[in-house]
Amino acid sequence: MKKISTLILITFFSFAFSQTYHFDFLTKYSSTNFKTKNIREIVSYNNSDDFSYYLRLNKTKEDFTASLYDHEKNVEHYFSVKETKINGEIRFQFTYINTAKLLTSTLMKNYRYEFSEISANSPKVVSLKIYPSKRAKKPINEKEFTLQKANKNLIGLYRSEWLHEYSDDGELQKVGNYFVSKAIEKYKTVTCEVVLKEYKNVELQIVVPEKLKM
């Protein structure tokens, strides 16, 4: 995997500022659906000291947008994105569109999580099973993570709603200083393999307007 020390991204806004989000780490995961063979790239910008928010890029043939998820405030900020390249350096211009409340399920509060270690060797492999209730015997979601050593605990960089909910209880912090290099996810009849293709240190900040468009 190619690791780049610094990638400078620039954002422009023309309105009053209220909150600034800082990002210092980029991850690019490739997800392959075993059944349909569909492949999609998942690019996220993160704060390695605060996993409560992250930015995800959404690029298609028709448009280029970004979503900033803030789980602490339970909101999602939407942006349109313009990409340019100057002297080989990629720059993004983010234009704020609106904000929406994140949809949360009260059912997830009753879920039971079972975390276990499959292999303690290098690479380290762990599993996470999610059950729909405290007494359920059959998991509704299963994950197997292959972990690589890091200088701090970066497991939270693997952006999954299931993992985000589970990380709140602090169990993942006990695993140690690792990041997720590969994951196998099973949900009902769907199985996906997710592989880390690239990671970079970055310098990016985004400021949302004082008056949000809800």
Side-chain angles (χ1 to χ4, degrees):
M1 290 177 289
K2 185 178 180 182
K3 186 175 181 180
I4 300 176
S5 59
T6 304
L7 177 66
I8 300 176
L9 304 176
I10 300 178
T11 61
F12 301 88
F13 291 92
S14 59
F15 40 62
F17 298 159
S18 65
Q19 181 176 359
T20 302
Y21 293 89
H22 298 276
F23 305 91
D24 64 358
F25 213 92
L26 175 148
T27 57
K28 180 187 290 185
Y29 284 93
S30 178
S31 176
T32 303
N33 186 310
F34 285 169
K35 186 176 182 179
T36 64
K37 305 302 180 182
N38 287 339
I39 301 174
R40 67 187 183 100
E41 286 191 341
I42 306 166
V43 179
S44 300
Y45 287 84
N46 309 268
N47 184 324
S48 61
D49 292 320
D50 186 353
F51 296 135
S52 68
Y53 65 85
Y54 65 99
L55 178 74
R56 176 163 292 172
L57 302 186
N58 309 297
K59 192 173 185 179
T60 66
K61 294 181 180 179
E62 292 75 26
D63 58 11
F64 193 1
T65 62
S67 294
L68 200 167
Y69 299 91
D70 186 334
H71 287 281
E72 188 173 283
K73 294 188 175 181
N74 200 39
V75 295
E76 178 181 355
H77 304 294
Y78 297 95
F79 302 85
S80 62
V81 184
K82 182 179 180 181
E83 180 180 353
T84 58
K85 183 176 288 188
I86 301 176
N87 297 324
E89 182 180 278
I90 296 176
R91 300 188 182 188
F92 294 126
Q93 179 177 333
F94 295 84
T95 302
Y96 173 76
I97 300 176
N98 57 24
T99 299
K101 284 287 185 180
L102 286 173
L103 297 177
T104 57
S105 173
T106 55
L107 294 176
M108 295 182 73
K109 295 181 180 179
N110 297 319
Y111 286 177
R112 185 175 90 254
Y113 299 86
E114 286 189 1
F115 181 81
S116 61
E117 185 176 83
I118 297 176
S119 171
N121 299 324
S122 182
K124 189 182 186 73
V125 181
V126 298
S127 72
L128 176 64
K129 294 182 179 181
I130 300 97
Y131 297 82
S133 68
K134 304 300 182 183
R135 296 183 179 181
K137 296 182 179 180
K138 186 176 181 179
I140 58 172
N141 191 287
E142 297 180 61
K143 297 179 183 292
E144 182 179 296
F145 301 113
T146 300
L147 307 178
Q148 297 290 342
K149 272 290 188 180
N151 61 354
K152 61 193 298 187
N153 192 312
L154 299 175
I155 297 175
L157 295 179
Y158 183 78
R159 289 301 180 175
S160 163
E161 287 305 304
W162 300 95
L163 189 60
H164 175 80
E165 291 291 330
Y166 177 72
S167 64
D168 288 344
D169 67 10
E171 283 296 317
L172 286 176
Q173 297 303 316
K174 299 177 183 178
V175 176
N177 295 339
Y178 294 92
F179 63 86
V180 177
S181 62
K182 185 175 76 172
I184 301 294
E185 301 202 6
K186 299 177 182 179
Y187 179 69
K188 294 184 178 180
T189 61
V190 179
T191 300
C192 292
E193 180 184 64
V194 187
V195 179
L196 180 63
K197 293 295 185 178
E198 189 176 2
Y199 60 97
K200 305 176 183 179
N201 295 117
V202 299
E203 293 179 5
L204 169 66
Q205 67 176 29
I206 288 184
V207 187
V208 296
E210 182 176 2
K211 187 176 181 180
L212 299 176
K213 297 178 182 179
M214 302 293 287

